[in-house]
Structure formats: C-alpha cells, structure tokens
Amino acid sequence: MTDKNDEYWMRYAMALATRAQENNEVPVGAVLVHDGEVIAEGWNHPIGDHDPTAHAEMMALRQGGKALENYRLLDTTLYVTLEPCTMCAGAMIHSRISRLVYGARDAKTGAAGSLLDILHHPGMNHRIVVEGGLLAEECADQLSEFFRLRRAQKKALRQTQREDQ
C-alpha cells in the first residue's frame, strides 16, 4: 500500500545518496520515518570509514535506535534507494521496522526479493511490509552514472600510467 508521501521520502533518500557520491562512495541513501517525521538518515560510507557495515540502511537504523531510545524501531518506515543486502535486511528484521520502501532492485546482492528474500522467509519471527521499485529508474540511473564515471576515471588513470612509462 503506497503512502502518498512515499515519493517525497524516496527523493529525500536520493539526496542523501548524493552525499555518499560526493565522498566517492556508492550512492545509496536511506531515511527512517516515524509518524511522518524523519528520525534518522544515512548514506553509504564503508570506504571512507573502513567499515564494511557502514551501509546507508545501517547508519539510519543505528541513528533511529538512538532517536527512539530503543533498539526496536516499531511503526517506522525505511526508505532506501537500493534494495537492501542480506546484512541490512537482517538488521531490519532485528530492529522490527514496519515497512521498507526501496527504489532500484539489486540482482547481485538484493535480499528483499531479487537474489534472496530474507524479509519474507517463513522462519523469520518478524514480518516487514516491502514495497520495491519506487522511483526505480531514477535510483538506478543515479547508481549507473556513478559507476560510469568511476570506470572513466580508472580508464583515464590507466592511460596516464601508460604514458608515464
């Protein structure tokens, strides 16, 4: 059931993804909403922090726990620009968010239905309402552009190195 504010919050998450990109991180952003208000936000920074768990979702969940002073984030919705991986999906289950809305699907590591479906596994003790594909094309374009630029930078660097030899 799509909420009338879902597009607004996804665009907010996309702006957070831009912050990741500005720091040469994969542009993924996440915003955690409770009662129509932002209680937490995050963007990718595992490279800069040297932390494999510093995904946008994890940052938002950590902040959300502090904001609510509870590790259970009941009655919250997490908006994220890219389908969560298994680590992030597991954290969502443990945090007891109510709803996940994501943008682009991730066929390589997506754990909300694309590669795996951790969130709907019958053995899980918590169910999360999942809605994928919101502004999917725009979210995917943001990621594609980042990787296109990164490939171009690597190609230019290799060319420069060859010329220096």
Side-chain angles (χ1 to χ4, degrees), residues 13-138:
M14 290 175 71
L16 295 170
T18 299
R19 292 179 75 173
Q21 184 168 355
E22 290 167 351
N23 290 302
N24 296 313
E25 301 275 1
V26 176
V28 177
V31 61
L32 188 64
V33 176
H34 181 261
D35 290 336
E37 299 288 327
V38 173
I39 62 165
E41 58 187 37
W43 54 91
N44 271 4
H45 46 89
I47 298 167
D49 285 0
H50 309 290
D51 179 358
T53 69
H55 289 195
E57 302 93 340
M58 299 297 284
M59 301 295 98
L61 294 174
R62 288 177 186 149
Q63 274 184 23
K66 290 180 178 159
L68 295 179
E69 296 181 338
N70 196 331
Y71 74 101
R72 293 201 172 172
L73 306 174
L74 304 173
D75 302 317
T76 60
T77 298
L78 182 66
Y79 296 87
V80 63
T81 58
L82 180 65
E83 180 181 359
C85 69
T86 55
M87 174 184 66
C88 294
M92 289 174 205
I93 291 167
H94 287 292
S95 70
R96 306 292 197 273
I97 66 167
S98 299
R99 186 168 169 251
L100 165 68
V101 179
Y102 69 86
R105 298 189 188 287
D106 187 348
K108 292 182 181 178
T109 64
S114 291
L115 177 67
L116 303 167
D117 195 355
I118 301 295
L119 300 175
H120 291 116
H121 189 280
M124 293 297 160
N125 64 339
H126 176 69
R127 298 286 180 260
I128 297 171
V129 174
V130 178
E131 297 174 37
L134 180 64
L135 300 179
E137 190 172 325
E138 290 177 56

